[in-house]
């Protein structure tokens, strides 16, 4: 069975600070995918990134970066120079091949960026 | 392009009543998913369809829940009879096979918030 743990329930920082959201996953599959989704106040989940288990390269997209470490089963997400618009709930998720995208989500981390 | 459209956005009903949630996926998408979000259980996959055919309904909680996709542009999730523990936000998401293979991206609607009194 797959499991995703986001230990940080809520994080609050001041604008322009860097912030890292933690994600730890469990799976016995050797091939799997990891995701991050953002849920803004409007409610819909917005896709941010997917990584596959064979690609441990870190990813950077603007102010966002992701650190994937198989040795610690972690897929952490860092926002650099945070902005108020980054305030949202962020979900880490896991899926395995063989059934479209059956995502197993973590409980989410509510991030508040204060001006 | 229009995104995934869900209705109603909010529904308040009394225990025992039938509830029908509706979803219009993005045109051209051949996969449709129903998720449920609660404080206790987080986001859970209930059922998904491929080309209007239910593929996996193992997440449907019990027989009171049913989902249909009569055509490529419409799906319903029905709860009959509803119970207070069904209170949750229900999300519909869609995607297409090429998108799923390339990036894994699902496109979510804004959700239907259901309150059963």
């Amino acid at each position: 069975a797959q499991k995703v743990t986001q230990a940080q329930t809520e994080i609050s920082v001041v604008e322009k600070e860097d912030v890292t959201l933690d994600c730890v996953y469990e799976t016995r599959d050797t091939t799997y995918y990891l995701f991050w989704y953002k849920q803004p106040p409007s409610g819909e989940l917005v896709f941010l990134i997917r990584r596959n288990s064979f690609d441990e390269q870190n990813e950077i997209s603007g102010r966002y970066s992701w650190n994937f470490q198989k040795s610690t089963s972690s897929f952490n997400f860092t926002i650099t120079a945070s902005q108020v618009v980054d305030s949202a709930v962020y979900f880490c998720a896991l899926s395995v091949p063989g059934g479209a995208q059956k995502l197993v989500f973590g409980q989410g981390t509510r991030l508040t960026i204060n001006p | 392009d229009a995104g995934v459209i869900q209705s109603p956005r909010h529904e308040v009903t009394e225990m025992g009543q039938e509830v029908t949630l509706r979803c219009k996926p993005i045109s051209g998408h051949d996969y449709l998913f129903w998720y449920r979000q609660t404080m206790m259980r987080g986001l859970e996959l209930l059922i998904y369809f491929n080309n209007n055919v239910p593929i996996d309904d193992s997440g449907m909680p019990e027989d009171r829940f049913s989902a249909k996709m009569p055509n490529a542009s419409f799906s319903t999730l029905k709860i009959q009879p509803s119970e207070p523990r069904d209170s949750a936000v229900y999300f519909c998401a869609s995607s297409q096979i090429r998108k799923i293979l390339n990036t894994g991206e699902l496109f979510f609607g804004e959700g239907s918030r259901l309150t059963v009194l």
Side-chain angles (χ1 to χ4, degrees):
Chain A
Q2 292 82 38
K3 184 179 178 182
V4 176
T5 301
Q6 295 180 253
Q8 304 151 308
T9 305
E10 294 191 32
I11 298 175
S12 181
V13 300
V14 177
E15 199 172 20
K16 297 184 183 178
E17 286 186 19
D18 298 348
V19 58
T20 295
L21 309 180
D22 297 333
C23 173
V24 174
Y25 63 91
E26 296 176 30
T27 180
R28 293 185 178 181
D29 294 87
T30 55
T31 301
Y32 51 89
Y33 300 98
L34 297 165
F35 301 77
W36 277 95
Y37 275 83
K38 174 182 180 180
Q39 186 177 36
S42 52
E44 79 282 11
L45 280 83
V46 178
F47 170 86
L48 295 179
I49 190 172
R50 181 187 77 171
R51 303 299 282 176
N52 73 54
S53 52
F54 297 108
D55 184 1
E56 283 194 77
Q57 274 193 329
N58 291 333
E59 177 96 7
I60 298 175
S61 177
R63 296 183 297 105
Y64 294 174
S65 62
W66 291 269
N67 181 264
F68 176 26
Q69 291 196 341
K70 290 178 77 170
S71 61
T72 56
S73 297
S74 65
F75 186 45
N76 297 337
F77 173 31
T78 297
I79 301 175
T80 303
S82 59
Q83 300 177 2
V84 173
V85 293
D86 296 327
S87 296
V89 181
Y90 291 86
F91 291 93
C92 182
L94 169 75
S95 75
V96 296
Q101 292 298 313
K102 292 182 65 174
L103 296 169
V104 174
F105 285 91
Q107 288 293 95
T109 297
R110 181 176 297 278
L111 176 64
T112 302
I113 311 297
N114 299 298
Chain B
D1 287 343
V4 175
I5 299 172
Q6 292 186 245
S7 64
R9 291 295 313 279
H10 301 274
E11 174 93 4
V12 180
T13 190
E14 292 189 347
M15 184 173 64
Q17 296 297 306
E18 177 179 297
V19 173
T20 299
L21 307 179
R22 298 171 177 80
C23 175
K24 178 179 169 56
I26 294 173
S27 177
H29 283 190
D30 49 2
Y31 280 86
L32 185 139
F33 304 79
W34 282 100
Y35 279 86
R36 178 172 69 173
Q37 184 179 31
T38 62
M39 289 295 294
M40 291 299 296
R41 300 174 67 89
L43 276 156
E44 308 171 278
L45 176 65
L46 300 178
I47 185 172
Y48 79 90
F49 296 82
N50 177 218
N51 291 323
N52 313 337
V53 176
I55 303 300
D56 187 338
D57 64 355
S58 59
M60 295 286 263
E62 48 197 276
D63 292 345
R64 297 184 298 106
F65 285 70
S66 62
K68 294 182 179 179
M69 192 165 185
N71 56 62
S73 59
F74 184 65
S75 176
T76 59
L77 178 67
K78 187 175 293 187
I79 309 172
Q80 166 65 16
S82 58
E83 297 182 4
R85 61 193 167 116
D86 302 329
S87 297
V89 180
Y90 292 81
F91 286 98
C92 178
S94 72
S95 194
Q96 58 177 190
I97 186 62
R98 281 186 303 168
K99 201 71 169 176
I100 287 176
L101 291 175
N102 289 339
T103 67
E105 182 174 2
L106 301 187
F107 298 81
F108 283 79
E110 293 183 327
S112 294
R113 181 176 295 276
L114 172 65
T115 302
V116 183
L117 303 175

